[in-house]
């Protein structure tokens, strides 16, 4: 029988009848696998050792290339100047104002009669003449041009559109005939929903305008069943009030009041 030392079958012959649990049997049985791993690792280390100089050379060449790129000079390129288009059809400049006689203004100074060296211009001499720092002769045929006053005439009073509170005004807005007439009007126009036992208070808020009309009508609290919409409808169709006043001027006033709702008894 021919033995192959690369195989482990011969170990069974050698260790026949012996204690195979002994460590030498296990070591020899695993020897081929250990040898193969050692050869692979050795080959890898050998290849790595040979390729290390080439890897270092590649790294150095890449670094040198980056340094060369950073050392390049920045070339400045001059762009041609932009052509400015000429604006055509410009209106001609206004003609210069005509020359008018000018009278020198002499600042009055208190002095003795013998010390006066220059006569002060009289008021009659200043008529139809401009005030200047010296006497100058103007064009006698020229028409006088006076500067227009600044603004568009008398200023209009600023309209006061602020909404005032009842507590800070002098004259409060009022329904024609008083508040009792107002409640009678609401009672005659308000359509109470047909709901058993419906009663309560609706709180409304509105603005009495300068002409007495009611705007910005809001229901702050209602009792349901569409009473809020009905209250707004009644107030929109309400007759005009007497507007509120403050310092004799009509103003916009915010008004709040409750409306008591109670279903009519059958």
């Amino acid at each position: 029988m021919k033995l192959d030392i690369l195989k482990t079958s011969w170990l069974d012959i050698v260790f026949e009848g012996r204690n195979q649990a002994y460590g030498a049997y296990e070591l020899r049985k695993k020897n081929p696998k250990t040898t193969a791993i050692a050869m692979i690792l050795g080959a890898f280390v050998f290849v790595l050792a040979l390729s290390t100089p080439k890897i270092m050379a590649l790294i150095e060449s890449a670094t040198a290339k980056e340094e060369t790129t950073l050392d390049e000079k920045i070339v400045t390129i001059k762009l041609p100047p932009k052509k400015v288009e000429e604006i055509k059809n410009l209106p001609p400049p206004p003609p210069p104002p005509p020359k008018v006689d000018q009278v020198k203004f002499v600042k009055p100074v208190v002095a003795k009669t013998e010390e006066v060296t220059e006569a002060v211009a009289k008021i009659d001499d200043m008529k139809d003449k401009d005030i200047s720092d010296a006497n100058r002769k103007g064009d006698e045929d020229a028409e006088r041009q006076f500067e227009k006053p600044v603004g568009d005439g008398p200023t209009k009073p600023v309209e006061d559109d602020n909404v005032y509170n009842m507590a800070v005004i002098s004259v409060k807005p009022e329904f024609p005939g008083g508040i009792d007439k107002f409640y009678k009007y609401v009672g005659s126009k308000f359509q109470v929903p047909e709901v058993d036992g419906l009663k309560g208070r609706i709180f409304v808020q509105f603005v009495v305008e300068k002409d007495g009309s009611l705007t910005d009508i809001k229901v702050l609290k209602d009792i349901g069943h569409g009473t809020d919409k009905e209250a707004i409808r009644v107030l929109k169709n309400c007759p005009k009030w007497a507007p509120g006043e403050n310092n004799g001027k009509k103003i916009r006033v915010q008004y709040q009041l409750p409306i008591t709702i109670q279903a009519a008894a059958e």
Side-chain angles (χ1 to χ4, degrees):
M1 181 178 177
K2 188 176 180 180
L3 296 176
D4 189 354
I5 60 174
L6 298 177
K7 296 181 180 180
T8 59
S9 58
W10 63 273
L11 291 174
D12 296 330
I13 299 173
V14 173
F15 285 90
E16 186 178 359
R18 297 183 181 182
N19 185 12
Q20 294 184 358
Y22 184 63
Y25 176 78
E26 291 294 329
L27 289 174
R28 286 175 173 76
K29 192 173 183 180
K30 295 179 180 179
N31 186 55
K33 185 177 180 180
T34 305
T35 304
I37 294 174
M39 289 181 66
I40 293 171
L41 291 176
F44 176 75
V45 173
F46 180 74
V47 171
L48 182 62
L50 291 177
S51 59
T52 299
K54 292 184 178 181
I55 295 173
M56 295 298 294
L58 289 174
I59 294 173
E60 290 178 358
S61 62
T63 306
K65 186 176 181 181
E66 290 181 358
E67 293 178 354
T68 304
T69 304
L70 293 175
D71 291 339
E72 290 181 356
K73 293 183 179 179
I74 298 174
V75 180
T76 304
I77 300 174
K78 292 184 179 180
L79 297 176
K82 293 183 179 180
K83 294 183 179 179
V84 181
E85 296 182 358
E86 296 182 358
I87 302 175
K88 298 180 181 180
N89 301 326
L90 287 177
K99 294 183 179 180
V100 182
D101 292 347
Q102 297 179 349
V103 177
K104 181 179 180 181
F105 174 75
V106 179
K107 185 177 181 180
V109 178
V110 179
K112 296 179 180 180
T113 305
E114 58 272 12
E115 295 177 356
V116 176
T117 58
E118 189 173 7
V120 180
K122 299 179 180 179
I123 295 177
D124 294 337
D125 297 337
M126 295 182 183
K127 289 182 179 180
D128 300 330
K129 295 179 177 63
D130 290 340
I131 305 301
S132 178
D133 57 349
N135 296 326
R136 296 186 180 87
K137 190 68 176 175
D139 188 357
E140 296 180 356
D141 298 330
E143 295 181 1
R144 284 299 302 270
Q145 296 183 353
F146 297 95
E147 294 183 357
K148 295 181 179 180
V150 179
D152 298 331
T155 57
K156 297 180 181 180
V158 179
E159 192 73 17
D160 185 4
D161 289 331
N162 295 325
V163 177
Y164 290 85
N165 190 281
M166 291 275 291
V168 297
I169 61 176
S170 55
V171 179
K172 297 177 174 57
E174 187 179 18
F175 185 82
I179 193 66
D180 292 335
K181 289 283 187 180
F182 172 76
Y183 281 120
K184 287 182 180 179
Y185 163 79
V186 173
S188 63
K189 300 296 182 181
F190 198 99
Q191 298 179 3
V192 181
E194 296 181 0
V195 179
D196 292 338
L198 180 65
K199 62 180 180 179
R201 279 189 172 187
I202 301 174
F203 289 88
V204 296
Q205 175 181 291
F206 51 85
V207 174
V208 182
E209 298 289 341
K210 297 177 183 179
D211 61 353
S213 60
L214 305 185
T215 61
D216 197 18
I217 302 171
K218 297 178 182 178
V219 176
L220 304 178
K221 182 182 178 182
D222 67 291
I223 57 176
H225 304 287
T227 53
D228 55 343
K229 295 180 180 179
E230 180 64 14
I232 292 174
R233 184 192 68 80
V234 173
L235 292 176
K236 282 185 176 180
N237 298 321
C238 181
K240 289 187 176 182
W241 291 43
E245 294 184 9
N246 206 17
N247 298 326
K249 294 183 180 180
K250 295 180 179 180
I251 55 174
R252 305 173 67 206
V253 181
Q254 187 180 74
Y255 205 102
Q256 293 182 2
L257 51 81
I259 299 175
T260 303
I261 301 296
Q262 185 172 2
E266 297 181 358

